[in-house]
C-alpha cells in the first residue's frame, strides 16, 4: 500500500492504470458498486476485463467519446410480495461508471465486447501502424 496519495486525473489512461499498484491510487475501497478491472496489453491489442457477475449483457452501456471509453451499468428492480395480511416491497438499485482515456494507438472503429461468466471482456485492437514490425534483413550492396 502506498503512503503517499497521488493526484489523479478524472480519466486515467490505460497505461496509467497498468502502472498503478491499485486502481484507486493507493487507497483501498470496500465499495461493491465499482467493479474490479484487469487491463492487459499484447502486441496487437489492449484487453479490459470487468468483473460484474449477475448482470446480463443488456445491462451494460459502452461508449467512446473524444478517445474516452466509458463502461457503465444501471439496474433497477422492484419486487412486491403479498402473503396473508403482510405486504413486503423491495427496491434494488445499482449502478457504476468506469472511464478510460484510450491511447492514440487504439483503433476505435474495431473495438468489440463480450460478456460471459460474469466478466465483460472488451478488446481494443491497435492500429496497423502501432503493431510491431517483423524483423527484416537488409542486404548490403
Amino acid at each position: 500500500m502506498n503512503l503517499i496519495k497521488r493526484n489523479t486525473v478524472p480519466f486515467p489512461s490505460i497505461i496509467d492504470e497498468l502502472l498503478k499498484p491499485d486502481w484507486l491510487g493507493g487507497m483501498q475501497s470496500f465499495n461493491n458498486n465499482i467493479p474490479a478491472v484487469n487491463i492487459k496489453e499484447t502486441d496487437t491489442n489492449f484487453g479490459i476485463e470487468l468483473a460484474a457477475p449477475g448482470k446480463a449483457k443488456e445491462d451494460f452501456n459502452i461508449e467512446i467519446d473524444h478517445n474516452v471509453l466509458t463502461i457503465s451499468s444501471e439496474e433497477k428492480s422492484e419486487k412486491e410480495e403479498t402473503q396473508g395480511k403482510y405486504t413486503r416491497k423491495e427496491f434494488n438499485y445499482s449502478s457504476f461508471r468506469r472511464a478510460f482515456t484510450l491511447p492514440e494507438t487504439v483503433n476505435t472503429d474495431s473495438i468489440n465486447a463480450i460478456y460471459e461468466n460474469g466478466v465483460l471482456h472488451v478488446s481494443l485492437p491497435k492500429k496497423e501502424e502501432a503493431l510491431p514490425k517483423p524483423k527484416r534483413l537488409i542486404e548490403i550492396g
Side-chain angles (χ1 to χ4, degrees), residues 79-90:
K79 182 178 178 182
E80 184 174 341
E81 294 181 16
T82 305
Q83 295 177 351
K85 295 183 181 183
Y86 298 96
T87 301
R88 178 178 64 184
K89 194 171 194 176
E90 295 181 1

Side-chain angles (χ1 to χ4, degrees), residues 82-118:
T82 305
Q83 295 177 351
K85 295 183 181 183
Y86 298 96
T87 301
R88 178 178 64 184
K89 194 171 194 176
E90 295 181 1
F91 297 96
N92 181 27
Y93 176 80
S94 66
S95 69
F96 71 84
R97 181 181 175 99
R98 297 291 307 262
F100 306 93
T101 301
L102 300 176
E104 296 290 325
T105 58
V106 171
N107 182 356
T108 57
D109 294 331
S110 299
I111 294 174
N112 61 41
I114 298 171
Y115 181 69
E116 60 184 4
N117 299 325

Side-chain angles (χ1 to χ4, degrees), residues 3-48:
L3 297 176
I4 300 171
K5 262 177 119 173
R6 290 185 245 174
N7 292 331
T8 58
V9 293
F11 302 114
S13 74
I14 288 179
I15 302 301
D16 290 339
E17 289 283 317
L18 288 171
L19 298 176
K20 286 185 182 179
D22 61 83
W23 52 272
L24 288 176
M27 295 175 49
Q28 298 240 345
S29 172
F30 298 102
N31 183 350
N32 291 333
N33 291 337
I34 301 173
V37 173
N38 293 330
I39 300 173
K40 178 173 65 170
E41 180 181 7
T42 66
D43 288 341
T44 59
N45 71 351
F46 292 96
I48 297 176

